[in-house]
Amino acid sequence: MLKLAQRGPVQYLESEEFLTVPSILHGFCTRIGGVSGGPYATLNVSPREGDPPEKVRENWQRLASAFAIPRERFFVVSQVHGEEFLVIEDAVSCHSLENRQVDAIVTDQPGVAIGIKTADCAPVLLFDRTKHVIAAVHAGWRGTALGIAAKAVRVMGQRYSSRPEDLSAVIGPSIGPCCYEVDGPVFKALSERGGSDRVFRPGGREGRWMLDLPLANRIQLERAGMQPERIFTSGFCTCCRPDLFFSHRRDGAKTGRHLNFILLARGK
Ligand SMILES: [Zn+2]
């Protein structure tokens, strides 16, 4: 479970697993603490859905102040529901890569807060306590069907010799099995990955299923070799909690995005 915390005006969720590690800073931000209005109220970090850019800029400034991380040290990408990774090898000049269309970021570089923007999709943050490597992954149903969380474990292994048993993962707030009704193509795409007997239950209508997206990602991480007790889920459904979260399913295309980030405060 994650617990609610507050820094300045910003409310966010944090994981006790990650809090025990002094060398990392992380947060799964809620929508509380920003300046945006209407459907983007209040802490929206994405200008793509119609929120005025000056509001989004002010929200980023608030995040920077709240977490005492300079704005230019936050790094986000253009997410496209794919399975491509970006490995940041240089924390200083990484901003030339910011428009890259990828859905996961990995780095061993201290001082760069790698972030994923979400409104229903699952943000997955990973940390290797031995090699001091972090990852941030965007896992909606498409990314999950592509196995992006399991791929994070493989990429960390290939690039940084991370061992799955040394990793911890926190699957942040996403739409829950209470609200995530999906149709045949989604059922088929995820069934092909296996484990579908556990992640689907029948929906209220013919040809519909309720998908447990956090569980699907947990199963992937376990199958990739991670220890089950090192994988944590949030216990929050973004669709059920309009007070805390944006939700694409609940509110449609005109809604905001939260920031989910992790930063390595110092190297090994
Ligand atoms: Zn729900």
Side-chain angles (χ1 to χ4, degrees):
M1 284 286 280
L2 302 181
K3 59 175 192 175
L4 267 173
Q6 183 141 4
R7 289 184 184 229
V10 173
Q11 270 193 31
Y12 63 102
L13 293 156
E14 57 188 8
S15 152
E16 288 187 11
E17 170 77 358
F18 284 173
L19 283 175
T20 61
V21 185
S23 59
I24 59 177
L25 182 59
H26 78 290
F28 298 90
C29 296
T30 69
R31 69 190 296 173
I32 298 170
V35 298
S36 296
Y40 314 104
T42 62
L43 191 60
N44 170 40
V45 294
S46 172
R48 274 208 265 178
E49 290 74 29
D51 195 11
E54 61 273 18
K55 300 280 190 190
V56 177
R57 268 197 299 276
E58 174 60 23
N59 290 338
W60 276 105
Q61 284 305 333
R62 284 186 165 216
L63 283 164
S65 306
F67 290 101
I69 299 169
R71 166 65 188 100
E72 64 274 14
R73 287 290 186 165
F74 281 96
F75 182 88
V76 291
V77 287
S78 196
Q79 300 164 192
V80 290
H81 297 282
E83 58 169 332
E84 297 306 314
F85 276 65
L86 182 66
V87 179
I88 296 177
E89 291 168 337
D90 176 354
V92 177
S93 58
C94 64
H95 284 276
S96 61
L97 304 169
E98 212 159 29
N99 291 322
R100 286 278 296 276
Q101 297 195 334
V102 298
D103 287 274
I105 311 164
V106 180
T107 193
D108 68 343
Q109 295 290 299
V112 52
I114 54 176
I116 292 294
K117 297 165 285 183
T118 55
D120 286 347
C121 291
V124 185
L125 303 180
L126 296 107
F127 172 62
D128 177 342
R129 76 188 79 87
T130 303
K131 298 287 196 311
H132 282 242
V133 179
I134 53 175
V137 177
H138 170 233
W141 77 260
R142 285 191 180 84
T144 303
L146 291 166
I148 196 166
K151 190 171 176 182
V153 177
R154 288 201 303 277
V155 170
M156 292 170 86
Q158 287 159 2
R159 299 296 290 257
Y160 297 105
S161 304
S162 291
R163 299 181 307 174
E165 58 268 34
D166 291 333
L167 302 181
S168 298
V170 182
I171 302 165
S174 72
I175 191 165
C178 39
C179 296
Y180 201 12
E181 188 186 75
V182 298
D183 59 11
V186 178
F187 179 77
K188 185 168 180 293
L190 278 142
S191 297
E192 284 165 1
R193 290 210 66 78
S196 58
D197 49 329
R198 292 167 62 194
V199 303
F200 288 108
R201 62 180 171 79
R205 295 179 284 165
E206 182 72 26
R208 295 287 193 278
W209 292 265
M210 304 308 288
L211 168 60
D212 190 333
L213 190 64
L215 179 60
N217 280 281
R218 166 184 278 280
I219 291 170
Q220 265 184 36
L221 294 169
E222 288 179 6
R223 289 184 172 183
M226 281 189 62
Q227 296 177 325
E229 64 273 21
R230 292 280 186 188
I231 304 168
F232 302 85
T233 44
S234 79
F236 285 90
C237 168
T238 46
C239 192
C240 279
R241 295 295 299 269
D243 57 324
L244 289 176
F245 302 112
F246 301 115
S247 168
H248 187 274
R249 175 62 61 105
R250 185 189 65 227
D251 298 331
K254 276 186 98 174
T255 188
R257 296 289 182 275
H258 327 98
L259 179 70
N260 311 274
F261 76 93
I262 183 165
L263 167 140
L264 212 46
R266 56 178 162 78
K268 206 175 160 186

